[in-house]
Amino acid sequence: MPGLEDLYREIILDHYKNPRNEGTFPAPPAIKAEGHNPLCGDELTVYLILDGDVIKDIHITGQGCSISRSSASLMSVAVKGKTLTEVDRLLKIFKSMMSISTNASGEPEASEPIEYSERELGELIALQGVVKFPVRIKCATLSWNTLVQALEDRAS
Ligand code: ZN
């Protein structure tokens, strides 16, 4: 029986090799944001189509390491079709899992621990091992931070 770590590695590799929701839209939507992780060189752009407060569709373009690419793919699957309230909860859970999270300047940021079940995370749990490699946490959180950026830009 393969261990959990093998299973998680499989999920990460699968999303890296076959990224979901990749590419732009025929007519790129107004809501988009660019994210950059200078520590690793990861770059990505998140495009969103909202229907009321639901993320109707999401596309991602970019380049970067396997963790950033895989995390972006996993994030896109996790938030597509969700309400912004559900997305906010997922974001908090994900940041809590990445408990040594960093802010935009790369400094550690205390995130309040919250209660959640692993079921809520779905495949996102595959990234939990990243927390053991603090330098890679920013790779894993880049797509989430960029998603937040896109939603904040929309609101302003
Ligand atoms: Zn990276």
Side-chain angles (χ1 to χ4, degrees):
M1 277 271 297
L4 265 185
E5 292 212 356
D6 293 323
L7 176 66
Y8 292 166
R9 196 174 302 120
E10 284 286 306
I11 292 172
I12 290 170
L13 266 178
D14 177 44
H15 279 265
Y16 175 56
K17 289 180 178 163
N18 309 294
R20 321 297 199 269
N21 305 304
E22 196 190 31
T24 185
F25 291 97
I31 306 173
K32 66 165 189 171
E34 292 173 15
H36 184 213
N37 171 19
L39 289 177
C40 182
D42 309 313
E43 292 174 343
L44 56 84
T45 305
V46 171
Y47 302 90
L48 293 178
I49 294 179
L50 296 187
D51 181 6
D53 72 338
V54 172
I55 294 184
K56 192 176 170 203
D57 208 350
I58 175 170
H59 277 197
I60 297 173
T61 60
Q63 56 187 14
C65 69
S66 57
I67 296 295
S68 72
R69 301 289 291 152
S70 176
S71 178
S73 175
L74 283 159
M75 181 277 282
S76 73
V77 172
V79 304
K80 190 167 168 176
K82 297 277 198 326
T83 67
L84 297 183
T85 308
E86 290 168 329
V87 168
D88 186 57
R89 164 111 183 126
L90 264 182
L91 172 76
K92 289 202 173 87
I93 292 173
F94 188 74
K95 290 267 184 156
S96 180
M97 182 173 80
M98 297 282 147
S99 57
I100 318 169
S101 67
T102 54
N103 64 20
S105 315
E107 288 148 359
E109 187 179 43
S111 61
E112 71 245 62
I114 58 171
E115 303 238 344
Y116 61 89
S117 70
E118 295 193 349
R119 193 177 50 80
E120 287 183 86
L121 276 167
E123 286 198 321
L124 290 170
I125 199 165
L127 290 162
Q128 73 172 5
V130 173
V131 80
K132 284 183 272 181
F133 307 95
V135 73
R136 309 310 296 281
I137 291 173
K138 271 189 78 92
C139 303
T141 55
L142 176 66
S143 57
W144 288 91
N145 291 336
T146 310
L147 172 69
V148 169
Q149 186 70 48
L151 291 170
E152 282 177 357
D153 289 354
R154 166 198 63 113
S156 65

